Structures are given as C-alpha cells and as structure tokens.
C-alpha cells in the first residue's frame, strides 16, 4: 500500500481547477506499472514521487498521461510539489524546492500562499507562418488570428492569439482538421481593469483522442514567454482557464530577472492509500 493524494491545481476551490493523482513513495514501481495506473485513473496526468538522483534536487517526479510519459508538465509540477510538502517533507531551502523530472531540474518557489515554478526554456519557438491551417483547426477565419507562435516546451504547443477573451470562449474546434498540430492553445485579452487579463483554452490530442484541458501550466508558461517580452502582456498578470468547462482556473504569471514564473493555488481533495 502506498500513500496517495488527489489534488486540484490552479484553484483555491476544490473541483474548480485541474485534477492530478499523486503516488507517494513510488520506489520499486516499474514504468509499465506506473503507465497502467495512470491509464486507470483516467486523469490528464498522474505523477509518481521518488527520491532524487541529482544531489541538487529535493525529490524526483515521473509524469504520465493516460497513454505516455511526459518530461515536464505545469499543473503536475505544482500539484506534486504541494502534495510532497503536504505529506510532511521538508525542502533544504525553506523558500524553494528543486524538482527533478525528465526535463531536468525545475525550481519551485513560494509565492505567498501559492507555489510557482520557473518556466522551462522552449524547445521550439518563433512565428507560425501559415495561419490558414490553424484557422481551419479552430473553425475560424484566418483574419480572426492576430498572431500565432510555436510555444513548445515539451508537449508540442502552438499558441494562437485572438482579439478578445470573448472570441476565445466562442471557439469550437474542428479536431478532424488539426493535421500536423497536436496541441493548440488559444489566448485573448479580457477588458482592462478586471480580475484576469487573459482567457486561455487548450485543445490537446492524446493519441488520436481530442479533448480540452481544464487548466494548463505548460501552455500558460510558454504563452507568457511570448506575450510578456513582446509587450502584449504586463510583467505580472493573471490568466483564466477552464471557463468553457465550468472550471475556475487562475494562473499567476510574472517575469523577474528575465525568468518567467508560473504560479497557482492547489487544494488537496483526496488522501489515502493505493494498492500498487
């Protein structure tokens, strides 16, 4: 029997964010056993906490979707860090944790009551030259796209900027026309002066099964790496995600010293033991 947590990430209200399953003390589990359990949970991601192999790390995490292992993902990073702390573990530095994952070492720091991770570098960036295919995938016209950028920090994101949050919420993608695009993020600004600055949606292909992800840390990280340096977003802002799914995800983005930080609240919803 192993300690198990199910947490809700990027929200301060249980069942309004993005759920994550966390298996603690996962030493001894094979990759096949981890993959099988992640498939069984049927959540966007399941993580497994392990002792670090790198002496600079506080813990190591392996991240699985229902069908594959990921080198990095945002909401599993914050959710795993919160679960690791909630289980009574103590980092060497009281103000920061260092997570070891497939993408290397990721710094997680305390941001008031929230945790925030340092956005990893992009594997692929730069403009997407042809907007027609993206417009077809999103079932909109090309002139509705303000700009589009590759925003790939692992999952393969391409980010599409629309004119407004209202336009983002109106998107009804045509998944059969995604073609070479596997994961598409859409972002648009809210009117000024409100609680949130941008609305974000994430449409993902999980081995041919398309779905909308409720709240996505990796996508918001790479969007901030695009919008803040470009002057489209301020150096500190809050994005909303999950609105179209009845969720209330809130992602806190900021830039300090050239580094983008991605923060959010996490709520522990389920604790217990699992037979693995």
């Amino acid at each position: 029997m192993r300690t198990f947590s199910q947490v809700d990430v990027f929200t301060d209200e249980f069942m309004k964010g993005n759920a994550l399953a966390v298996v603690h003390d996962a030493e001894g589990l094979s990759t096949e056993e981890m993959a099988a359990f992640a498939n069984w949970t049927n959540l966007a991601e399941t993580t497994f906490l392990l002792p670090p192999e790198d002496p600079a790390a506080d813990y190591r995490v392996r991240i699985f979707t229902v069908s594959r292992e990921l080198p990095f993902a945002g909401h599993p990073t914050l959710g795993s860090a919160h679960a690791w702390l909630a289980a009574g573990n103590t980092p060497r530095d009281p103000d920061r944790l260092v997570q070891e994952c497939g993408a290397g070492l990721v710094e997680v720091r305390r941001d008031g009551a929230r945790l925030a991770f340092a956005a990893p570098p992009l594997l692929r960036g730069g403009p997407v030259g042809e907007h027609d295919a993206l417009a077809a995938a999103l079932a909109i016209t090309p002139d509705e796209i303000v700009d589009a950028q590759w925003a790939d920090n692992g999952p393969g994101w391409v980010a599409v900027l629309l004119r407004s949050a209202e336009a983002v919420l109106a998107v009804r993608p045509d998944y059969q026309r995604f073609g070479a695009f596997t994961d598409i993020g859409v972002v648009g600004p809210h009117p000024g002066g409100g609680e949130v600055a941008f609305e974000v949606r994430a449409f993902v292909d999980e081995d041919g099964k398309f779905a909308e992800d409720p709240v996505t840390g990796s996508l918001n990280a790479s969007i901030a790496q695009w919008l803040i340096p470009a002057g489209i977003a301020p150096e500190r802002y809050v994005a909303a995600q999950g609105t179209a799914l009845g969720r209330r995800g809130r992602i806190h983005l900021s830039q300090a010293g050239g580094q983008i930080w991605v923060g959010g609240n996490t709520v522990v919803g389920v604790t217990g033991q699992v037979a693995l």
Side-chain angles (χ1 to χ4, degrees):
M1 302 298 290
R2 301 173 191 270
T3 301
F4 173 80
S5 303
Q6 192 158 315
V7 300
D8 206 13
V9 187
F10 290 120
T11 182
D12 56 7
E13 182 180 355
F14 184 50
M15 297 188 294
K16 291 296 185 180
N18 199 357
L20 173 74
V22 183
V23 177
H24 302 249
D25 307 316
E27 305 99 300
L29 289 176
S30 68
T31 296
E32 292 73 21
E33 288 171 320
M34 292 181 185
F37 183 65
N39 179 268
W40 179 82
T41 67
N42 203 32
L43 295 176
E45 281 98 10
T46 298
T47 63
F48 299 84
L49 299 179
L50 298 154
E53 295 178 347
D54 190 312
D58 290 299
Y59 64 91
R60 182 163 63 97
V61 65
R62 294 184 67 179
I63 304 167
F64 289 79
T65 72
V66 295
S67 63
R68 59 180 170 143
E69 184 172 4
L70 298 178
F72 170 81
H75 106 273
T77 291
L78 289 190
S80 296
H82 184 98
W84 187 82
L85 290 170
N89 295 293
T90 303
R92 282 169 290 184
D93 184 333
D95 296 321
R96 63 190 286 271
L97 301 84
V98 178
Q99 171 185 283
E100 181 182 352
C101 60
L105 298 182
V106 177
E107 183 179 352
V108 181
R109 69 178 185 183
R110 298 184 191 274
D111 182 14
R114 296 183 293 269
L115 295 175
F117 67 84
L122 293 181
L123 302 176
R124 182 182 185 183
V128 179
E130 181 53 67
H131 291 177
D132 288 352
L134 277 173
L138 297 173
I140 60 177
T141 60
D143 62 0
E144 293 179 76
I145 296 177
V146 176
D147 200 357
Q149 295 267 333
W150 288 104
D152 182 12
N153 50 17
W157 293 112
V158 59
V160 179
L161 177 63
L162 302 183
R163 289 187 174 84
S164 68
E166 183 180 15
V168 169
L169 293 172
V171 168
R172 301 293 182 268
D174 183 350
Y175 290 118
Q176 301 308 311
R177 302 187 72 177
F178 267 44
F181 301 113
T182 57
D183 299 294
I184 300 177
V186 185
V187 57
H190 278 275
E195 176 204 358
V196 294
F198 291 90
E199 189 73 36
V200 173
R201 295 176 72 187
F203 306 109
V204 300
D205 175 9
E206 188 63 51
D207 282 355
K209 296 178 181 178
F210 291 92
E212 181 169 354
D213 192 52
V215 200
T216 318
S218 62
L219 173 61
N220 277 279
S222 56
I223 286 175
Q225 286 170 312
W226 168 27
L227 298 187
I228 293 177
I232 300 169
E235 289 196 342
R236 181 178 290 270
Y237 70 91
V238 179
Q241 192 180 346
T243 308
L245 300 175
R247 308 290 179 90
R248 191 179 180 279
R250 295 293 184 268
I251 309 94
H252 296 255
L253 292 308
S254 63
Q255 178 176 271
Q259 175 64 59
I260 299 294
W261 292 89
V262 184
N265 292 291
T266 299
V267 180
V268 178
V270 179
T271 59
Q273 293 188 312
V274 59
L276 280 177

